Amino acid sequence: AGLLLAAIPSTVLAADEVFTADLSGGAQVPPVDVDATGEATVTIADDESTVSWEITYSGLTGDPAAGHIHVGPADGTGPVMIPFDSVTATGTSGSFAAADYQTGEGLPADWAGVLAAIRDGNAYVNIHTEANQAGEVPTPARGARSRAGVSMRR
């Protein structure tokens, strides 16, 4: 059995990395007082070529204006790293390919940096509304930190 396993390419054994988080207004920096809640699942494909997401939410103060995965510290905010093509009244899903990533000020220099930010808890999902343009329901605490990244629970 050991010889057979050694003969299988490592890519066959690879698996998607799945990260989950709850969304709440209290996780916004600074916090916002809203009843909105949600759940986010972010997945890094086993070949690391895409990041996909499935996010649901309810109780927003109005229609969502935008949604993104941001890069940033637990106690602050950061620029948009992965934009969502669309957001609906109840959620969003989609994927973003490595080939589409463009770096910029405050962003990881390359796709490997994007994946590292997600894995290391230095990224967070946020849904924005007209009433809360800076963000209404981001993902909460990264591990023991005060705010959420998509990698706080695997």
Side-chain angles (χ1 to χ4, degrees), residues 35-140:
D35 293 329
T37 60
E39 296 178 351
T41 300
V42 174
T43 303
I44 298 174
D46 63 351
D47 66 359
E48 298 186 339
S49 66
T50 61
V51 170
S52 61
W53 57 89
E54 187 164 332
I55 302 164
T56 59
Y57 39 80
S58 62
L60 298 178
T61 58
D63 289 336
H68 325 277
I69 298 175
H70 295 258
V71 62
D75 59 352
T77 61
V80 173
M81 185 167 64
I82 297 176
F84 300 158
D85 288 334
S86 66
V87 289
T88 71
T90 59
T92 181
S93 62
S95 65
F96 191 83
D100 296 327
Y101 179 69
Q102 296 180 3
T103 189
E105 187 174 338
L107 293 171
D110 55 25
W111 187 249
V114 169
L115 301 181
I118 293 170
R119 289 175 174 135
D120 295 343
N122 294 318
Y124 61 98
V125 170
N126 206 341
I127 304 300
H128 305 262
T129 62
E130 187 174 330
N132 291 291
Q133 293 179 11
E136 183 158 331
V137 284
T139 51

Side-chain angles (χ1 to χ4, degrees), residues 3-23:
L3 291 176
L4 178 61
L5 183 59
I8 298 172
S10 61
T11 55
V12 172
L13 301 175
D16 292 347
E17 292 178 74
V18 179
F19 306 90
T20 61
D22 295 325
L23 288 79

